[in-house]
Amino acid sequence: MQGAIRLKKVSIKKKFTEKIRQGYPLLLTEMIEGDIPEEGSVVQAEDMRGSFLATGYIGKQNKGSGWLLSWNQSETIDQEFFKLKITEAAAYRKPFFEDTETTAFRLFNGEGDGVGGLTIDHYAGHYLFTWYSKGIYAFRDMILDAFEAVLPYDSIYEKKRFDSKGQYVEDDDFVRGERPTFPIVVKENSAHFAVYLNDGAMTGIFLDQRNVRQAIRNQYAEGKNVLNTFSYTGAFSVFAALGGAVKTTSVDLANRSLPKTIEQFSMNAIDYEAQDILVRDVFRYFDYAVKNNVTYDLVIMDPPSFARSKKHTFSAAKDYKNLIKQAIDLTEKNGVMVASTNAASFDMKKFRSFIDKAFKEKGRRYKIIETFSLPDDFRTTPAFPEGDYLKVCMIKAG
Ligand code: SAH
């Protein structure tokens, strides 16, 4: 154990003390009066008169300088503390551990489970730890030991997402246990996915879209001609095909998306040659489709919050409305659009306003049939609504 944790003090400006007292877990840089202790320090946040507010750690992550972990002055941040949090998190996921048809889920969701800056995903007995700051990484061994005391595992891998821009740090990501042969095959609502834990920043599947994939398969795909934009490994296309889509077209500009999408179709015994998989800029594909009168019954859009391609810079907050406008041109009358974003910088109300503006400007009617946010394993806390980032609207285009 890193026993010698020195408790440092940070003073919180008056206008933020109430927010922290009420349980807001992110220690924003602007809240702190004076110098910020070094990454990995355990800190006691106090009001300007020196009264205890909360205990946390210093770790730079976007606009944050750290996370608060405890509002109880007699609680110490040690291995026992992390053990307790992981035990609670595992108990909360009991239905997931018991579900034999879904073997990939989030075990620990940062501040939603009481420790901001750390997530742990479970892939059929293998675990992926993602550290979002150098600060939380300072507790790595303590947290791994705590985890090991609570849960059995086949292997542990990790992603470090704390270079200067919060990007993934390239490394051998193996941590403990026995190295499996990749891919690991996981199940999600009975479908299969190939997962890689030691192959760069991403694993092959975004677990937070599980319920959306399920809905696409069970309610939206049958008999439909489907366009999946920003398709990555084609997870939405796979579920659409499993749900009886006539055909799917997956579009992503990354070269790797082609073999990855072929692999995921093949995992599910779907003939990939009967599907279209295009390595292309989505915006170029839109131009092509409009010129050639190509339309779809179901159009799925799940762009990154921010992306730069050769011709375009896409920022969800600025450009999502125009993305929808372009997608409207390709959507059949009475067709459905799946509009998804993981941008934390705007909420559902704002997202709906982008949709509303896009349809108004296009002079088309629409109805939002259904919406999705994060699934239950991506546990969030009401104290930090920003953590509830996923917004998905199923839109019927008139
Ligand atoms: N919808 C996917 C996840 C998308 S991740 C899923 O559910 O699994 C975002 C993807 O957008 C990445 O694979 C990236 O290569 C792709 N991308 C970013 N900008 C793009 C563009 N202009 N055209 C096509 N693909 C793009």
Side-chain angles (χ1 to χ4, degrees):
M1 271 182 33
Q2 289 146 290
I5 289 174
R6 292 179 308 278
L7 203 59
K8 300 197 176 147
K9 306 217 161 162
V10 287
S11 298
I12 301 300
K13 291 177 192 155
K14 191 153 184 270
K15 66 172 175 175
F16 296 110
T17 52
E18 199 42 42
K19 201 173 165 99
I20 289 180
R21 269 205 191 94
Q22 283 172 8
Y24 189 76
L26 183 61
L27 194 54
L28 290 161
T29 308
E30 57 172 341
M31 292 175 167
I32 301 172
E33 179 75 47
D35 293 341
I36 298 170
E38 60 178 339
E39 298 248 351
S41 307
V42 173
V43 291
Q44 186 161 310
E46 300 177 340
D47 68 13
M48 296 304 283
R49 282 183 303 191
S51 301
F52 173 83
L53 292 169
T55 311
Y57 72 88
I58 297 298
K60 280 216 167 307
Q61 188 184 337
N62 306 327
K63 285 183 199 151
S65 278
W67 290 94
L68 298 169
L69 307 178
S70 176
W71 284 256
N72 171 357
Q73 193 166 8
S74 60
E75 195 164 37
T76 40
I77 308 307
D78 53 14
Q79 192 169 316
E80 276 308 307
F81 173 85
F82 291 115
K83 234 174 100 177
L84 189 71
K85 295 293 167 192
I86 294 167
T87 304
E88 279 173 8
Y92 187 82
R93 274 69 174 188
K94 194 159 176 266
F96 286 90
F97 279 109
E98 286 170 353
D99 181 352
T100 54
E101 295 312 307
T102 296
T103 60
F105 56 88
R106 179 151 290 189
L107 173 78
F108 197 94
N109 195 39
E111 71 289 345
D113 284 294
V115 183
L118 167 69
T119 62
I120 309 174
D121 293 319
H122 172 252
Y123 295 96
H126 305 273
Y127 287 87
L128 177 66
F129 284 58
T130 304
W131 314 98
Y132 287 89
S133 70
K134 285 199 181 102
I136 190 70
Y137 197 69
F139 300 92
R140 176 182 187 259
D141 293 345
M142 188 188 281
I143 292 173
L144 288 169
D145 291 345
F147 174 83
E148 208 163 302
V150 176
L151 286 168
Y153 63 87
D154 295 327
S155 75
I156 297 175
Y157 282 77
E158 70 182 357
K159 305 282 175 213
K160 290 172 267 182
R161 290 194 168 269
F162 49 71
D163 84 348
S164 55
K165 287 195 198 111
Q167 299 287 307
Y168 166 74
V169 181
E170 188 71 50
D171 209 339
D172 175 9
D173 293 336
F174 175 72
V175 178
R176 288 183 188 186
E178 250 183 72
R179 285 177 191 262
T181 35
F182 290 110
I184 297 167
V185 179
V186 301
K187 276 208 258 181
E188 181 184 282
N189 292 310
S190 310
H192 294 91
F193 279 96
V195 167
Y196 297 82
L197 301 183
N198 206 8
D199 193 21
M202 299 194 282
T203 65
I205 183 164
F206 288 104
L207 299 178
D208 55 0
Q209 296 280 12
R210 182 188 311 113
N211 295 344
V212 181
R213 287 189 280 269
Q214 162 115 318
I216 286 173
R217 180 183 62 190
N218 296 358
Q219 293 160 245
Y220 293 97
E222 193 168 2
K224 299 294 196 283
N225 187 17
V226 179
L227 175 66
N228 180 12
T229 60
F230 308 93
S231 55
Y232 181 42
T233 59
F236 286 129
S237 308
V238 168
F239 269 73
L242 290 172
V246 176
K247 191 179 144 188
T248 65
T249 301
S250 305
V251 184
D252 195 295
L253 59 71
N255 286 322
R256 60 161 193 250
S257 67
L258 175 62
K260 294 255 175 214
T261 304
I262 290 175
E263 181 181 37
Q264 303 299 22
F265 276 127
S266 305
M267 296 297 309
N268 293 282
I270 299 160
D271 176 10
Y272 66 85
E273 289 184 339
Q275 315 294 329
D276 277 342
I277 306 167
L278 309 173
V279 176
R280 202 161 305 170
D281 190 314
V282 163
F283 301 99
R284 263 191 59 207
Y285 185 72
F286 282 153
D287 293 342
Y288 158 85
V290 166
K291 254 185 225 140
N292 293 277
N293 291 315
V294 180
T295 56
Y296 296 90
D297 309 304
L298 182 63
V299 176
I300 302 165
M301 320 166 245
D302 178 34
S305 301
F306 189 83
R308 191 169 278 141
S309 71
K310 273 184 211 123
K311 271 178 71 184
H312 275 91
T313 298
F314 177 86
S315 139
K318 280 213 297 290
D319 303 317
Y320 212 111
K321 183 195 82 180
N322 284 333
L323 175 65
I324 297 169
K325 281 174 80 175
Q326 285 180 279
I328 289 171
D329 289 335
L330 315 190
T331 308
E332 286 280 351
K333 189 169 168 51
N334 293 322
V336 170
M337 289 173 35
V338 179
S340 167
T341 181
N342 59 7
S345 63
F346 55 87
D347 61 7
M348 186 56 124
K349 194 166 162 237
K350 186 102 190 177
F351 191 41
R352 279 171 174 265
S353 81
F354 296 158
I355 295 167
D356 190 63
K357 279 200 192 103
F359 276 90
K360 288 219 169 99
E361 287 175 24
K362 278 284 170 189
R364 270 184 68 180
R365 294 159 73 86
Y366 75 99
K367 194 169 173 251
I368 295 183
I369 321 169
E370 198 179 354
T371 63
F372 289 87
S373 57
L374 288 171
D376 288 344
D377 50 328
F378 283 67
R379 188 181 184 184
T380 54
T381 162
F384 193 68
E386 304 94 305
D388 200 359
Y389 59 85
L390 186 68
K391 299 165 276 292
V392 184
C393 292
M394 312 305 237
I395 312 160
K396 182 146 192 175

